[in-house]
Amino acid sequence: MSTSSQDAPQSAPAHPARRLRDPRSGRHYPLDPLRWRGDDGTPLLVSPAHAPEPADIVTADRSLWRYRAALPPLPPVSLGEGCTPLLARTWSGVEVGFKLEWFNPSGSFKDRGSSVMISALAAQGVDEVLEDSSGNGGSSVAAYCAAAGVGATVLVPAHTSPAKTLQTTAYGARVTPVDGDRDATAAAALRRAERTVYASHNWHPYFLEGTKTLAYEIWEDLGFRAPDAVVTVAGAGSIVLGCDLGFTELLAAGRIAALPRLLVAQPANCAPVHAAFHAGSGSGSGSGSRSASGAPAEQGAPAARASGPWRPTLAEGTAIKEPVRLPEVLAAIRRSGGTTVAVPEEDIASALRRLAATGLYAEPTSATAAAAVDHFAARGELPPGGTTVVVLTGSALKAPTATAQIIEGTP
């Protein structure tokens, strides 16, 4: 049964002293949910936790809070997020497990991060937050704010899927369209963040604390072992970073023998992570903290950039030209021995149709990960006999216009 925001946490093992850390400078800050970036404008992480043993998992809790031993001690704001199916299938001759993240309460993986982030802010007495999103993140934050009794304003690009803005509005959030693309929306949010609490799924370190439970859950799904590879799509890269955090904690605790390779897909129309990875940029944890001239990076700006030109994509959830945590995403991929691929729009559309033909109704962003399996297999990145998990991030119910364009050929 889910735990409400009013329920106190069940007894759990003692937590090690944890802090906020800047992976670029090495600077540390007290563990404060109201702090979402460093003094120099760089994004932060929560310092590592000690991974739970199987016996530490609260199996009676059908939510990500079953891993509370590795989470900050908080009264959970939970809607039953996590515990999503891992479905064994054969895809283009490759044996995979599709992790169906649209079974989360608001319909996407973002609920993992929102649950922990909003739990932390609600515990601080916050009564109003600001978020910016291309859709799924905003509807997720709105859902958890509704559960916690916290007001929310969500900035969205003006072209955001009406299904996603309707869902966000239904939860009681105030939706504010912003002219321009996803990056223009983020810039508008940063300007407002000086005056209100910024609950950004791209910036807030507690969000990644929730996302890392995806790694713990895959480990549990597979009988407490790691897969050989995780195939995922990336926009801002929160799944990449969540898997890196979770599996790294499991490795440090001796729960797994090696990190799974992170095989990361982006649409070819907007692929800054892929471009930067193959250009060799941002390879170190401290890379990009200063501009090319040697001056400190502009406050609130990404620490590394990969130029386009980028075009609109069916996979709207990935259309982020300048990911805030680009150096960390690149480092996570390299640390795992992983790689990236840029997927053409026609392959995304084909994968969505193929998934639907097997009963899996994935939005185009999710279908990008399935399409990438073909590319990675052709490159020899998925040898026979390995264990591969493919993360399908959200339902096609969230993107009816793009899905209709693919299925029915509508303009």
Side-chain angles (χ1 to χ4, degrees), residues 271-277 281 304-308 310 321-323 326:
V273 173
H274 172 75
F277 183 85
S281 64
R305 291 182 169 87
S307 59
W310 307 125
K321 299 173 185 175
E322 297 185 345
L326 180 57

Side-chain angles (χ1 to χ4, degrees), residues 7-8 12 46 53 108 137 177 237 323 329 384 398:
D7 293 333
V46 181
E53 298 181 30
S108 84
V329 173
K398 306 289 287 277

Side-chain angles (χ1 to χ4, degrees), residues 217-242:
E217 197 168 299
I218 292 170
W219 168 67
E220 185 179 1
D221 288 339
L222 295 176
F224 304 108
R225 63 184 180 87
D228 297 294
V230 175
V231 180
T232 184
V233 67
S238 56
I239 288 183
V240 175
L241 293 171

Side-chain angles (χ1 to χ4, degrees), residues 251-323:
L251 181 65
R255 312 279 187 250
I256 59 176
L259 295 175
R261 301 183 69 216
L262 299 177
L263 304 179
V264 179
Q266 292 201 289
N269 279 12
C270 188
V273 173
H274 172 75
F277 183 85
H278 289 280
S281 64
S283 59
S285 61
S287 63
S289 60
R290 303 185 74 83
S291 69
S293 66
E298 179 184 359
Q299 192 173 64
R305 291 182 169 87
S307 59
W310 307 125
R311 302 178 299 281
T313 174
L314 291 165
E316 65 177 6
T318 66
I320 298 175
K321 299 173 185 175
E322 297 185 345

Side-chain angles (χ1 to χ4, degrees), residues 198-221:
Y198 191 28
S200 168
H201 67 279
N202 290 333
W203 278 93
H204 204 288
Y206 276 75
F207 190 90
L208 292 176
E209 281 291 284
T211 308
K212 79 177 184 184
T213 64
L214 179 60
Y216 285 129
E217 197 168 299
I218 292 170
W219 168 67
E220 185 179 1
D221 288 339

